[in-house]
């Protein structure tokens, strides 16, 4: 049997061919989430507010699914690299099992606690009613989220990222096609409003999940999923959680950072909050490809760690660093050169913050150190050092950024934006040190 391409192809070519489909699928996922919001906004402001209040729960589900996926990715690719087929199959089956457990937990919580949770934020009967219906549908059918992530990570861990892209496209197309039909109705089909938006989302997710699982069963010979004789292993479950929990927390940090920045900006200038929301959407067009690149590193590094090929891991990390700097360098140039054009994409009302163009020029240089730091974080996850990756994320988004933003904002509101490049420049050497320490330990051990 020929060796998996993750242990044989030249590192630069391997990383590029595997990461491009992941980047494309992540961009499509981000785009159809924006489309969802656009459709719901046409119903009413209350409808958009109802869906927005449910968003933290959806983010939390995605964070948990991401954690399971990273743990699964690292352990599965390492087992395959070491030629341990039985362990690889056991890890894959446990990934599915944990996803089913999370589905059951969120379904129960969403049904029982959905309305009380929303009541913490609003007393509007209309928003509560629409939000409760939306949240119950999304949580009852959250198996589409958890098992879809699992199906995708099984493909990533075995190097089949094109399949990953295919199922994301299918889910996105179904969601976008059903949104206007189920929200506004068509001749012969009633209008379900906000509930229709939830239904379109879960139908797209569940269909993509079913296709993804079928693809793994028929087109992924590197793993064998079977419930026959399956017994949950506390050891494998603990290993997946140990690697995955920091990744889940890392995913959740961006939500905390956004909330913290909004709390700092609101007393200074309410229009700055709207600007920051627009900037965050704009930066995602470069950060999402970067995340696609770093996500792809995880199984490749895990595979080569299991196969005891430390030189390949070092070369792969260097290639990833160059690719990341190219992506983020392009973003920095574009943001610095055309800030008003970029802001204008979201309408004239989003130019209400007078300092927007100047702020974007201040923020643009932060892209380069951020790209390098996130590359080292991805390499650390591949080595199974998710805790170190979590520290990098915490430094970037909480420990350094928020105090610096608060202090600079008190000195001068326009100076607040320098907190972003400052936080990235502080984080980069720390990320480099963590990577070098982990590489010394893990890669030297893999030789013996």
């Amino acid at each position: 049997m020929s060796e998996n391409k993750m242990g044989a192809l030249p590192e630069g070519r391997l990383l590029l061919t595997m990461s491009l489909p992941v980047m494309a699928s992540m961009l499509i996922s981000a785009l159809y989430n924006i489309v969802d919001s656009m459709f719901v906004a046409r119903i009413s402001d209350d409808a958009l507010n109802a869906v927005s209040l449910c968003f933290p729960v959806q983010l939390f589900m995605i964070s948990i699914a991401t954690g399971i996926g990273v743990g699964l990715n690292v352990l599965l690719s390492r087992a395959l690299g070491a030629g341990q087929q039985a362990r690889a199959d056991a890890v894959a089956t446990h990934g599915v099992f944990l996803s089913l457990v999370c589905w059951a937990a969120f379904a129960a919580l969403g049904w029982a606690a959905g309305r009380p949770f929303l009541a913490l934020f609003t007393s509007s009967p209309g928003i509560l009613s629409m939000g409760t219906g939306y949240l119950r549908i999304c949580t009852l059918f959250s198996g589409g989220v958890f098992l879809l992530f699992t199906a995708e990570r099984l493909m990533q861990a075995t190097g089949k990222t094109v399949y990953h892209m295919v199922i994301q496209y299918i889910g996105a197309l179904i969601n976008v096609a059903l949104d206007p039909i189920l929200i506004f109705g068509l001749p012969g089909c009633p209008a379900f409003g906000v509930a229709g938006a939830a239904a379109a989302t879960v139908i797209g997710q569940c269909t993509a999940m079913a296709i993804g699982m079928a693809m793994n069963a028929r087109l992924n010979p590197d793993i064998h999923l079977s419930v026959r004789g399956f017994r949950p292993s506390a050891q494998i479950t603990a290993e997946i959680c140990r690697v995955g929990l920091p990744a889940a927390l890392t995913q959740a940090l961006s939500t905390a950072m956004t909330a913290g920045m909004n709390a700092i900006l609101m007393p200074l200038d309410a229009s700055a909050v709207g600007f920051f929301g627009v900037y965050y959407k704009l930066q995602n067009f470069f950060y999402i490809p970067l995340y696609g690149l770093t996500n792809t590193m995880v199984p490749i590094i895990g595979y080569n760690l299991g196969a005891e090929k430390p030189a390949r891991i070092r070369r792969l990390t260097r290639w990833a660093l160059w690719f990341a700097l190219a992506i983020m360098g392009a973003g920095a140039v574009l943001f610095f050169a055309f800030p008003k054009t970029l802001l204008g994409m979201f309408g004239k009302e989003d130019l209400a913050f007078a300092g927007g163009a100047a702020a974007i020029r201040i923020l643009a240089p932060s892209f380069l150190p951020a790209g390098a730091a996130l590359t080292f974080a991805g390499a650390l996850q591949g080595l199974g050092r998710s805790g170190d990756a979590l520290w990098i994320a915490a430094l970037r988004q909480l420990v350094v950024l928020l105090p610096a933003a608060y202090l600079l904002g008190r000195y001068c509101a326009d100076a607040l934006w320098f907190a972003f490049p400052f936080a990235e420049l502080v984080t980069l050497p720390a990320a480099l040190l963590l990577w070098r320490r982990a590489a010394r330990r893990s890669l030297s051990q893999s030789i013996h």
Side-chain angles (χ1 to χ4, degrees), residues 251-272:
Q251 179 80 15
L253 282 178
S254 60
T255 304
M257 182 274 289
T258 304
M261 283 301 301
N262 287 343
I264 293 169
L265 291 169
M266 184 62 77
L268 300 175
D269 188 341
S271 64

Side-chain angles (χ1 to χ4, degrees), residues 7-190:
L9 278 184
E11 293 82 3
R13 178 183 165 195
L14 174 67
L15 188 60
L16 195 61
T17 56
M18 281 186 60
S19 63
L20 285 176
V22 179
M23 293 179 191
S25 63
M26 291 178 74
L27 282 169
I28 288 295
S29 178
L31 286 173
Y32 81 74
N33 285 333
I34 292 172
V35 171
D36 272 356
S37 298
M38 291 169 60
F39 279 123
V40 170
R42 291 175 59 188
I43 302 173
S44 68
D45 288 343
D46 280 356
L48 184 59
N49 288 335
V51 172
S52 298
L53 288 177
C54 297
F55 193 53
V57 178
Q58 292 175 295
L59 281 179
F60 186 50
M61 289 194 296
I62 290 171
S63 297
I64 298 296
T66 298
I68 295 172
V70 169
L72 176 63
N73 227 342
V74 171
L75 298 181
L76 176 56
S77 57
R78 190 179 299 175
L80 290 171
Q84 299 169 346
Q85 187 63 56
R87 176 171 169 78
D89 293 342
V91 169
T93 306
H94 275 78
V96 175
F97 168 71
L98 286 173
S99 296
L100 291 171
V101 170
C102 290
W103 176 11
F106 273 95
L109 285 171
W111 186 264
R115 190 178 183 90
F117 169 77
L118 294 173
L120 296 173
F121 306 97
T122 182
S123 58
S124 167
I127 295 177
L128 276 174
S129 176
M130 288 186 287
T132 301
Y134 184 91
L135 192 56
R136 282 180 172 174
I137 291 171
C138 288
T139 52
L140 278 174
F141 296 94
S142 60
V145 174
F146 291 107
L147 290 170
L148 176 58
F149 265 76
T150 299
E152 290 172 351
R153 294 312 183 270
L154 291 175
M155 293 169 184
Q156 277 189 9
T158 53
K160 297 169 178 62
T161 54
V162 172
Y163 297 159
H164 175 289
M165 180 179 68
V166 169
I167 62 174
Q168 274 285 3
Y169 274 127
I170 291 170
L173 288 173
I174 291 172
N175 189 357
V176 172
L178 290 180
D179 263 336
I181 297 172
L182 297 179
I183 293 172
F184 306 113
L186 286 177
C189 178

Side-chain angles (χ1 to χ4, degrees), residues 341-404:
T341 304
L342 292 170
L343 287 173
M345 292 169 58
F346 287 81
K348 292 182 179 178
E349 64 275 12
D350 288 319
L351 295 173
F353 178 56
I360 280 191
R361 285 198 167 107
I362 293 170
L363 292 162
S366 67
F367 279 31
L368 287 166
L374 287 169
T375 300
F376 292 129
L380 286 164
Q381 283 189 339
L383 293 177
R385 307 283 299 185
S386 293
D388 289 342
L390 175 60
W391 274 114
I392 293 172
L395 278 174
R396 290 183 59 242
Q397 299 189 83
L398 296 181
V399 177
V400 178
L401 175 62
L402 293 183

Side-chain angles (χ1 to χ4, degrees), residues 148-314:
L148 176 58
F149 265 76
T150 299
E152 290 172 351
R153 294 312 183 270
L154 291 175
M155 293 169 184
Q156 277 189 9
T158 53
K160 297 169 178 62
T161 54
V162 172
Y163 297 159
H164 175 289
M165 180 179 68
V166 169
I167 62 174
Q168 274 285 3
Y169 274 127
I170 291 170
L173 288 173
I174 291 172
N175 189 357
V176 172
L178 290 180
D179 263 336
I181 297 172
L182 297 179
I183 293 172
F184 306 113
L186 286 177
C189 178
F192 294 103
V194 169
T201 297
V202 299
I203 290 171
Q205 289 170 342
C206 290
T207 304
M209 173 270 292
I211 294 171
M213 284 298 179
M215 283 183 166
N216 275 299
R218 298 193 176 190
L219 303 175
N220 195 351
D222 292 318
I223 56 167
H224 311 97
L225 296 171
S226 176
V227 297
R228 184 178 301 171
F230 172 73
R231 289 186 178 181
S233 163
Q235 180 185 2
I236 295 176
T237 301
E239 285 185 78
I240 293 175
C241 292
R242 178 185 62 80
V243 176
L245 181 59
L249 293 174
T250 300
Q251 179 80 15
L253 282 178
S254 60
T255 304
M257 182 274 289
T258 304
M261 283 301 301
N262 287 343
I264 293 169
L265 291 169
M266 184 62 77
L268 300 175
D269 188 341
S271 64
V273 176
F275 159 76
F276 184 65
V278 169
Y279 164 73
Y280 207 73
K281 293 173 186 175
L282 286 169
Q283 68 151 20
N284 275 343
F285 285 100
F286 292 94
Y287 273 85
I288 286 175
L290 177 64
Y291 292 141
L293 177 72
T294 55
N295 284 346
T296 305
M297 293 174 67
V298 174
I300 302 176
I301 289 178
Y303 184 95
N304 285 281
L305 185 64
E308 299 187 355
K309 296 181 177 180
R312 275 182 66 83
I313 294 174
R314 294 184 185 278

